[in-house]
Amino acid sequence: MRGEKMDKSTLYFILAESALEPIPTEFKNHPKLQRYAKKQKKSPESIIFDKSIHSFLINDPKGYEKRGRPDLVHISLLSILGTPLCKTGRLKLFVHTANDLIIQIDPNVRLPRNYTRFVGLMSQLFETGQVPPKGSSLLSIREMTLKELIEEIKPKYTILFSETGKEIELMKFMSRAVEYNPLAIIVGGFPHGKFSKETYQCANEIVAISDTTLDAHIVVSRVIYAYEIAMKTK
Amino acid sequence: MRGEKMDKSTLYFILAESALEPIPTEFKNHPKLQRYAKKQKKSPESIIFDKSIHSFLINDPKGYEKRGRPDLVHISLLSILGTPLCKTGRLKLFVHTANDLIIQIDPNVRLPRNYTRFVGLMSQLFETGQVPPKGSSLLSIREMTLKELIEEIKPKYTILFSETGKEIELMKFMSRAVEYNPLAIIVGGFPHGKFSKETYQCANEIVAISDTTLDAHIVVSRVIYAYEIAMKTK
């Protein structure tokens, strides 16, 4: 019985406002970018924006605090995809980007562990819209807001994990949250700062798992583990 | 009282037989490596071995299954250093390498999130023996076996997490394990295969947290989280 129950449950997991995008359009004609792209033998459009590499483009960091961190998205995705929950097909994974794109990731994808290869794959995804380019996709990309995604997947309950939320004891909280099926969980895919008003409005509840700031990959690891435990004892 | 108890406890966390090393000596004079190093403007000795990049050196993969995966060590370290336990100074972190070196990592180090920068830092560490090169170190390296490290830190109990161990329910197991102080935990810092006989002999108990193979970063995340919970309810 317990097994049956578990099979019917799906956890929707969304990394929201993620710092994953090609080089922003405002830099497209920047002479430094043109030189960089030439050296890399790439078109400027196909380069994934990484602030630790492309800091030379940014004169004023204002407005870029939450952007250009594909490394953070990478480690968060590996922390999700490696869990038993994901490996057994009971998690559906979406990356919402700061530019309102939704990347759907097949839980069976073998995402490159190597960062350079991951960035190469993301570059291919932004160019072609899906990977592999033909047939059923492992990664696909659509123009869509987070609100539209939530309206499409229709979760019974949506929980946003944010340091601005009410502090909870995660294991206890999750043991109640799993009563909602399907449940959607949103974690920020960016380094610092608050979510946008639109993101907060997508959630039924906003909670924090710690009184200090934690990296996204730490939050996702703990949330999924707590969910697995809650499902086992449901 | 509870607070006092917690302050006195330290968790020793060891990534064992880790796949982190400079290019193996057998490749040092390989013409392909010489050309690669020249192109990278580096000496062959200062290049960190990464199988996903340096596969051109390996004719026979036998003997290299557990080596050349600094990406795996990187994500595991980020999964340890980001935890509240580590941030509050209650964890001491060591990386034991396949070549019997011990890297001690200050829990307050801000390890680069960017993989290329992490590899650059490791290269500097292997060249200079400590980072920063002068003064008190954030990262330091010594020639030492895992057995010698265990003899030095003298834990009351040492637990090795291995898929070959007895399967346990982690939360329950950890609630008992925290009675030992100090406790040492060993997780493999390599992708596949078994630990060496010497590593198994360092442990008082060998356990598995899943009936399937899990990535090292998933294991370390769960083990530390379970340890934190067990300490709170101790």
Side-chain angles (χ1 to χ4, degrees):
Chain A
M1 273 304 284
R2 201 171 273 181
E4 277 175 37
K5 255 195 194 173
M6 284 173 67
D7 289 339
K8 282 178 196 164
S9 299
T10 296
L11 178 66
Y12 288 101
F13 206 99
I14 306 163
L15 278 186
E17 302 184 34
S18 300
L20 176 67
E21 59 179 324
I23 295 278
T25 46
E26 61 267 32
F27 299 130
K28 287 272 163 71
N29 298 316
H30 198 299
K32 280 185 184 169
L33 178 64
Q34 301 287 337
R35 280 199 296 277
Y36 175 83
K38 205 174 165 185
K39 211 173 156 189
Q40 298 286 316
K41 293 173 188 162
K42 283 179 183 166
S43 70
E45 292 76 21
S46 71
I47 296 171
I48 298 292
F49 183 41
D50 181 336
K51 252 191 339 194
S52 82
I53 301 169
H54 309 122
S55 54
F56 61 84
L57 294 171
I58 304 168
N59 286 327
D60 181 3
K62 217 179 147 187
Y64 295 100
E65 297 88 347
K66 284 170 67 181
R67 297 172 70 180
R69 290 296 305 272
D71 55 325
L72 182 157
V73 176
H74 182 222
I75 180 168
S76 296
L77 290 177
L78 292 177
S79 298
I80 297 165
L81 291 164
T83 58
L85 186 78
C86 194
K87 286 179 163 186
T88 51
R90 290 175 289 142
L91 182 146
K92 288 202 192 300
L93 178 55
F94 301 90
V95 176
H96 164 255
T97 77
N99 305 327
D100 279 337
L101 298 170
I102 298 287
I103 302 169
Q104 182 159 1
I105 300 178
D106 187 316
N108 298 314
V109 72
R110 255 194 77 79
L111 207 70
R113 260 67 165 173
N114 182 281
Y115 176 66
T116 313
R117 288 185 199 279
F118 168 75
V119 169
L121 186 71
M122 289 303 113
S123 166
Q124 193 192 342
L125 176 65
F126 279 99
E127 278 190 308
T128 59
Q130 73 165 61
V131 174
K134 283 180 182 171
S136 68
S137 62
L138 289 169
L139 302 163
S140 63
I141 200 163
R142 288 183 289 171
E143 279 189 36
M144 194 180 224
T145 65
L146 182 63
K147 186 166 176 263
E148 288 164 348
L149 176 67
I150 295 288
E151 282 166 2
E152 186 180 282
I153 61 183
K154 295 186 181 62
K156 278 269 168 47
Y157 205 71
T158 302
I159 302 161
L160 176 69
F161 287 84
S162 162
E163 57 187 276
T164 61
K166 177 188 66 170
E167 201 183 327
I168 47 122
E169 201 281 277
L170 178 60
M171 288 287 169
K172 203 182 283 178
F173 175 82
M174 203 54 99
S175 68
R176 289 194 304 270
V178 292
E179 296 300 327
Y180 296 99
N181 180 25
L183 180 67
I185 281 171
I186 304 175
V187 174
F190 54 87
H192 301 292
K194 290 182 180 178
F195 287 97
S196 71
K197 207 176 92 185
E198 290 74 22
T199 301
Y200 284 120
Q201 284 171 347
C202 287
N204 297 103
E205 194 168 358
I206 302 161
V207 296
I209 66 166
S210 168
D211 56 359
T212 57
T213 307
L214 296 178
D215 289 340
H217 69 271
I218 301 286
V219 179
V220 306
S221 299
R222 294 183 174 211
V223 167
I224 296 178
Y225 187 30
Y227 178 87
E228 283 182 24
I229 290 176
M231 286 302 290
K232 267 186 199 151
T233 51
K234 193 178 161 182
Chain B
M1 269 307 284
R2 203 171 268 179
E4 276 176 38
K5 254 194 191 174
M6 282 174 69
D7 289 340
K8 282 180 196 163
S9 299
T10 296
L11 178 66
Y12 288 101
F13 206 99
I14 306 162
L15 279 187
E17 302 184 33
S18 301
L20 177 66
E21 59 179 322
I23 295 277
T25 45
E26 61 267 33
F27 300 130
K28 287 272 162 73
N29 298 318
H30 199 299
K32 279 184 184 169
L33 178 64
Q34 301 287 339
R35 279 200 296 277
Y36 175 83
K38 205 174 166 185
K39 212 173 155 188
Q40 298 287 314
K41 295 174 186 160
K42 283 181 184 166
S43 69
E45 292 76 21
S46 72
I47 297 170
I48 298 292
F49 183 42
D50 181 336
K51 254 192 338 195
S52 82
I53 301 169
H54 308 122
S55 55
F56 61 83
L57 295 172
I58 303 168
N59 286 327
D60 181 3
K62 217 180 145 187
Y64 295 100
E65 297 89 347
K66 284 170 67 180
R67 298 172 69 179
R69 289 296 306 273
D71 55 325
L72 183 157
V73 176
H74 182 221
I75 180 169
S76 296
L77 289 179
L78 292 178
S79 298
I80 298 166
L81 290 165
T83 59
L85 186 76
C86 194
K87 284 178 163 187
T88 51
R90 290 174 289 143
L91 183 146
K92 288 201 190 301
L93 177 55
F94 301 90
V95 176
H96 164 255
T97 77
N99 304 327
D100 280 337
L101 297 170
I102 298 288
I103 302 169
Q104 183 159 1
I105 300 177
D106 187 316
N108 297 314
V109 73
R110 255 194 78 79
L111 207 70
R113 262 65 165 172
N114 181 280
Y115 176 66
T116 313
R117 288 184 199 277
F118 168 75
V119 169
L121 186 71
M122 289 301 115
S123 167
Q124 193 192 340
L125 176 65
F126 279 101
E127 277 190 307
T128 59
Q130 74 166 61
V131 174
K134 284 181 183 173
S136 68
S137 62
L138 290 169
L139 303 162
S140 62
I141 199 164
R142 288 183 288 171
E143 280 191 34
M144 196 180 222
T145 65
L146 183 62
K147 187 166 175 264
E148 286 164 348
L149 175 67
I150 295 288
E151 283 167 0
E152 186 180 282
I153 61 182
K154 295 187 181 59
K156 278 269 167 48
Y157 205 70
T158 302
I159 303 161
L160 177 68
F161 288 84
S162 163
E163 57 188 276
T164 62
K166 177 188 66 170
E167 200 183 328
I168 46 120
E169 201 281 278
L170 178 60
M171 288 287 170
K172 203 183 283 178
F173 175 81
M174 203 54 98
S175 68
R176 287 193 305 269
V178 292
E179 296 299 328
Y180 296 99
N181 181 24
L183 180 67
I185 283 172
I186 304 175
V187 174
F190 54 87
H192 301 293
K194 289 182 182 176
F195 287 97
S196 71
K197 207 176 90 187
E198 289 74 22
T199 300
Y200 284 121
Q201 285 171 347
C202 287
N204 296 102
E205 194 166 359
I206 302 161
V207 297
I209 65 166
S210 168
D211 56 359
T212 58
T213 306
L214 295 178
D215 289 340
H217 68 271
I218 302 287
V219 178
V220 306
S221 298
R222 293 182 175 213
V223 167
I224 295 178
Y225 187 30
Y227 178 86
E228 282 182 25
I229 290 176
M231 287 301 292
K232 267 186 201 151
T233 53
K234 193 177 163 184

